[in-house]
Amino acid sequence: MNSVLQVEGGHPLHGSITVRGAKNFVPKAMVASLLGDSPSKLGNVPLIRDVDVVSDLLDLHGVVIDFDQNRGTMTLDPRNVKVASRSDIDSLGGASRIPILFCGPLLHQLGEAFIPELGGCNIGGRPIDFHLETLRNFGAVVDKRPDGIHITKPAEGLRGAVIELPFPSVGATEQTLLTAVRADGITILSGAAIEPEIMDLINVLQKMGAIISVDTDRTIRIEGVEKLSGFNHVALPDRIEAASWGAAALATRGDIYVLGAHQPDMTTFLNTYRKVGGAFDIDAEGIRFYHPGGQLKSIALETAVHPGFMTDWQQPLVIALTQAQGLSIVHETVYENRFGFTQALRQMGANIQVYRECLGGTPCRFGQRNFFHSAVISGPTPLEAADITVPDLRGGFSHLIAALAASGTSKVSGIDVISRGYEHFTRKLHQLDARVKYVDQ
Ligand code: UD1
């Protein structure tokens, strides 16, 4: 794929597109298949790069995958799981953060796991200390070496543990689930993340034979079982992609019917969308997002773990906020460095200042630590075309929205990053009558 997209902006997006399974769920369900003693079947699988990376990693470990790309169904057969060569694993490192979730299943199946250099978006330090501490709690031996992290199961096997997360981390909660389900005894996890994608992973694990209960106070209790079988499951839809298209409709004064969008997972986004002045209609097929005309309104917004306003929704919505009347305040409390994308927006004419202080909300753990994690957006400011380079997945999609909303023709480079999490996004843009085409650098 050519990675420079020429975007003729200033035209409202309108039409309908479909979102399929969630990027933040599908790869994890694929990893869960490793825990079974029979094949699993997963439906609603999108064609995104993170799915490719996890398929390649599973393939290296002997899992036989059959992916019907048109129907979005995948079967995964883990019956010949094997140790993969470290250099092969390494060659896939740096492409995604999912490899770290292979640890628990591989420890159960093979007694050892290896974590290469991890990828994912550059939106903060993204440490893995919670993951390693969690694995140690189960009795795993974690050995950090220059070539990567080697993890082994002790002779007596992994034991259930009492774990308290310092922050409700999505990844560390999944790490705990994927390890605890087959550990010996009971695991109590407090301070857990309870994102809809995690609840769907719990659905998958229950179908496999796991015993998991979730309390209302972020406590998850897992009773380890000796064996799990394959699952048959249809992935929940991608609420981040759905919200991204919703934000695109607002920023371009357009009208997009997002088929597959699921209201219960998007309640907080929808409330905010309405407060900004966006309109939506919900039916059984999806959600129609549109700009109802008139002036958008500024808001104070704080990102948070679920059920709060999701951090991945922040970047696309900020583009719409540049078109709102007055001062909007956005306080990012999940990642310390998620406003890098605003630099290109300033270049396009947006009026955005970033601050180290916790603005407009409750003090967060980044407040005293010198991170530019609050933003003030003053609008409305007309956006003008620019040549910009995509910084990361969500920031990149936001740049694309900005270019679509701006007057004139922009060139957006490094566009490939977006295919990590947005299925067929250029095809969808054409479906929405966007004037975009790939060009030479
Ligand atoms: C997942 C999502 C990502 C989303 C994020 C928060 C996937 C593939 N990605 O990322 O889209 O933005 O949840 O909803 O599902 N942290 C530590 N130590 C750790 C782990 C995390 O300090 O060992 C910190 C992170 O730096 C971050 C915060 O905890 O500041 C939340 O991270 P986490 O919830 O773990 O995010 P991911 O699972 O990586």
Side-chain angles (χ1 to χ4, degrees), residues 188-212:
I188 312 270
L189 173 67
S190 49
I194 49 164
E195 268 58 8
E197 293 78 12
I198 292 175
M199 294 302 127
D200 214 23
L201 182 62
I202 291 175
N203 293 337
V204 161
L205 293 168
Q206 186 176 54
K207 286 178 176 179
M208 297 178 81
I211 301 171
I212 304 172

Side-chain angles (χ1 to χ4, degrees), residues 53 57 85-103 113-122 124-128 132 143-151:
V53 172
L57 268 172
S85 104
R86 283 182 190 147
S87 58
D88 286 347
I89 299 178
D90 241 349
S91 67
L92 293 173
S96 155
R97 290 179 63 75
I98 309 294
I100 195 164
L101 295 178
F102 277 63
C103 293
F114 170 70
I115 307 173
E117 180 66 29
L118 294 172
C121 292
N122 185 16
R126 303 198 81 175
I128 56 168
L132 300 181
D143 185 10
K144 290 187 189 173
R145 296 190 211 156
D147 64 334
I149 304 172
H150 299 246
I151 303 171

Side-chain angles (χ1 to χ4, degrees), residues 20-27 44 46 48 197 235-240:
R20 292 207 283 182
K23 166 195 162 281
N24 285 356
F25 164 76
V26 168
N44 209 19
I48 52 172
E197 293 78 12
L236 86 168
D238 197 310
R239 65 193 170 114
I240 308 178

Side-chain angles (χ1 to χ4, degrees), residues 22 47 67 143 187 201 235 261 349 367 385:
L47 268 173
F67 184 19
D143 185 10
T187 296
L201 182 62

Side-chain angles (χ1 to χ4, degrees), residues 167-229:
F167 183 82
S169 151
V170 168
T173 300
E174 292 161 341
Q175 182 77 265
T176 307
L177 288 167
L178 290 165
T179 309
V181 281
R182 276 186 51 194
D184 182 24
I186 292 171
T187 296
I188 312 270
L189 173 67
S190 49
I194 49 164
E195 268 58 8
E197 293 78 12
I198 292 175
M199 294 302 127
D200 214 23
L201 182 62
I202 291 175
N203 293 337
V204 161
L205 293 168
Q206 186 176 54
K207 286 178 176 179
M208 297 178 81
I211 301 171
I212 304 172
S213 56
V214 183
D215 285 344
T216 46
D217 62 348
R218 292 192 181 279
T219 302
I220 301 182
R221 185 177 188 279
I222 305 123
E223 276 182 54
V225 296
E226 252 170 52
K227 85 182 192 70
L228 296 171
S229 52

Side-chain angles (χ1 to χ4, degrees), residues 8-15 248-256 291 404-405 429 432-435:
E8 187 191 311
H11 308 285
L13 296 183
H14 54 85
L250 206 52
T252 64
R253 302 184 77 85
D255 186 336
I256 304 181
H291 192 307
L404 289 159
L429 285 170
L432 298 171
D433 282 344
R435 301 177 194 188

